[in-house]
Amino acid sequence: MTGVELYVNGAKYEGWKSGSVTRSVEAAAGSFELSSVDKWERDKNPWRIFPGDKCEVKIHGVTLIAGYVDSVAPSLSSGEHSIRISGRDATCDIVDCSAIVPSFEIRGQTIGGLAGLLCEPFGIRVVDESGDKSVIPVAAVQPGETAFSCIEREARKKEVSITTDGTGALLLAKIGKERANDSLEQGKNLISASAEYDYSQRYSDYIVKAQASATGDSADAWNPPQNAVEARHKDENVKRYRPLVITAESESFEESAQIRATKEALLRAGESTSVNVTVAGWTQSNGELWPLGAYVSVKIPYLYIDDDLIISQITFNVSPSLTTDLTLKRADAFLNIDETKKKKKKNEKSKKKGTVETDWWNS
């Protein structure tokens, strides 16, 4: 199929009959699976592709995957032969493999520095576009823990997304810095659309309990630990009483505990909504591929949606026609929203409840 090219060991393979290429802002490695079926030719040589081979996947000349072949499944019958190949970005190694850190802790690094140290043994380059230069005093590494798990835990605290840049490097970035050229509109460019609104992990009251450090300039001025530091945040969109008590993993003061309570409400509200749409082709009207992690205007009245959402996952499909599946989420699912990029036309007429946006059907 024109448009998808797989490069393995310098050779180009194309003419794919089915398959997909997927990237997500919530996954450190993109993935692909491609299949080809041809009529049997006695003298035709089999493709020399094997697991572990370096590979690249390009769509319309744009590199989306740069990594390794994971699996190869050739087959034949009396009338045809076929092959199915799958693989992932080079960053798959930090997802699969344990981090080897002798002291089980890394001290005094920024999030970019931490990622760099953990990725270096795997030969993976780190591109830090997060802008976060704060130092992590101590990052613990549990025995057997993967490198990605350690990076992701610290990145989540700093509202930094971890994904791949498509060239095999690990990308640390903030979500929502771009905007799609096209909008997604019911009756205009959607082949299909669906949504799921799930309140099972949302709560009416978020209560963070923590213990603060002792304070004071001398032994005489020493104050005992405050065992009852507490912060609360209410999600007015959850109508019935559903409290959630969270015990802070580390010592906290009132301000940090309040931030934790607010962020927990935001994150769970954002994660409660997921929208999936399918559009024809792989590109927007300007000829560019749909951008991952970007804002897109979505107008689907049947699903109660008229808002800007984040493209959290993209799957480019070959089977039998060219289509693109887009997974969309609310911006507050990522917390680190760039308000200067987000148009507020919908929210200007929506009623706000604290810092959690009113759900669309309550607007």
Side-chain angles (χ1 to χ4, degrees):
M1 179 66 70
T2 301
V4 181
E5 298 171 340
L6 172 65
Y7 292 82
V8 180
N9 299 324
K12 180 171 71 172
Y13 300 87
E14 50 189 345
W16 303 101
K17 304 303 181 184
S18 64
S20 62
V21 180
T22 300
R23 296 182 63 199
S24 171
V25 297
E26 298 176 282
S31 62
F32 72 90
E33 181 174 304
L34 299 170
S35 298
S36 178
V37 179
D38 290 317
K39 291 183 178 180
W40 175 259
E41 297 177 25
R42 182 178 296 276
D43 297 328
K44 187 169 184 178
N45 294 323
W47 288 355
R48 303 290 296 177
I49 301 176
F50 302 100
D53 283 347
K54 286 187 175 182
C55 67
E56 281 189 54
V57 177
K58 295 184 178 183
I59 289 183
H60 294 324
V62 178
T63 301
L64 296 182
I65 305 287
Y68 303 98
V69 174
D70 277 333
S71 68
V72 180
S75 63
L76 61 87
S77 66
S78 59
E80 66 182 26
H81 72 272
S82 64
I83 189 169
R84 185 179 72 253
I85 302 167
S86 64
R88 291 174 293 166
D89 276 294
T91 47
C92 68
D93 286 344
I94 67 167
V95 175
D96 298 342
C97 303
S98 299
I100 307 300
V101 179
S103 64
F104 297 110
E105 64 180 25
I106 298 174
R107 293 178 172 270
Q109 294 290 332
T110 63
I111 186 61
L114 175 67
L117 287 174
L118 291 171
C119 288
E120 183 179 10
F122 300 95
I124 296 172
R125 183 169 55 91
V126 174
V127 178
D128 186 3
E129 296 181 356
S130 68
D132 193 310
K133 301 304 180 184
S134 60
V135 173
I136 303 168
V138 180
V141 182
Q142 303 300 322
E145 182 179 28
T146 65
F148 171 75
S149 178
C150 179
I151 300 169
E152 193 272 339
R153 181 172 57 252
E154 297 300 329
R156 185 171 60 249
K157 297 175 184 177
K158 296 177 175 293
E159 302 170 7
V160 173
S161 172
I162 309 175
T163 185
T164 174
D165 67 351
T167 69
L170 188 72
L171 175 64
L172 307 179
K174 299 285 188 176
I175 299 299
K177 291 186 176 181
E178 298 181 59
R179 171 171 289 278
N181 178 76
D182 293 359
S183 60
L184 297 167
E185 299 184 34
Q186 180 178 325
K188 180 179 178 181
N189 61 345
L190 302 183
I191 295 177
S192 64
S194 63
E196 181 176 4
Y197 307 116
D198 184 351
Y199 267 35
S200 64
Q201 297 302 309
R202 287 180 70 170
Y203 298 87
S204 61
D205 298 86
Y206 294 85
I207 306 163
V208 174
K209 293 183 178 292
Q211 179 174 298
S213 300
T215 58
D217 297 329
S218 68
D220 294 336
W222 185 85
N223 294 317
Q226 301 175 31
N227 294 317
V229 173
E230 182 177 292
R232 293 173 175 262
H233 186 90
K234 192 171 185 63
D235 183 348
E236 298 285 355
N237 293 309
V238 178
K239 304 302 182 183
R240 65 187 191 273
Y241 181 60
R242 283 175 52 81
L244 177 66
V245 176
I246 301 168
T247 302
E249 295 85 355
S250 58
E251 57 189 21
S252 303
F253 292 97
E254 290 183 2
E255 182 179 359
S256 59
Q258 185 60 58
I259 291 173
R260 172 70 186 278
T262 302
K263 285 185 176 181
E264 192 73 27
L266 276 168
L267 179 61
R268 288 175 180 268
E271 290 288 354
S272 70
T273 296
S274 181
V275 180
N276 297 285
V277 303
T278 299
V279 297
W282 292 333
T283 61
Q284 304 172 83
S285 60
N286 62 357
E288 296 181 359
L289 297 174
W290 288 93
L292 183 66
Y295 278 107
V296 61
S297 176
V298 184
K299 298 180 180 180
I300 312 177
Y302 188 78
L303 302 181
Y304 322 112
I305 303 172
D306 181 3
D307 202 356
D308 288 344
L309 301 180
I310 293 290
I311 302 175
S312 66
Q313 179 173 298
I314 302 176
T315 299
F316 300 101
N317 299 302
V318 185
S319 180
S321 59
L322 308 184
T323 61
T324 302
D325 296 333
L326 303 172
T327 298
L328 314 171
K329 290 190 175 182
R330 287 167 48 158
D332 45 10
F334 304 99
L335 301 178
N336 51 11
I337 56 177
D338 184 348
E339 293 294 342
T340 64
K341 296 290 184 181
K342 184 177 182 184
K343 291 183 179 179
K344 292 294 186 179
K345 61 181 182 295
K346 174 65 178 176
N347 294 330
E348 288 173 357
K349 58 184 179 181
S350 295
K351 185 178 181 181
K352 302 279 284 186
K353 299 287 188 179
T355 57
V356 178
E357 292 185 10
T358 299
D359 294 320
W360 298 312
W361 50 89
N362 291 323
S363 298

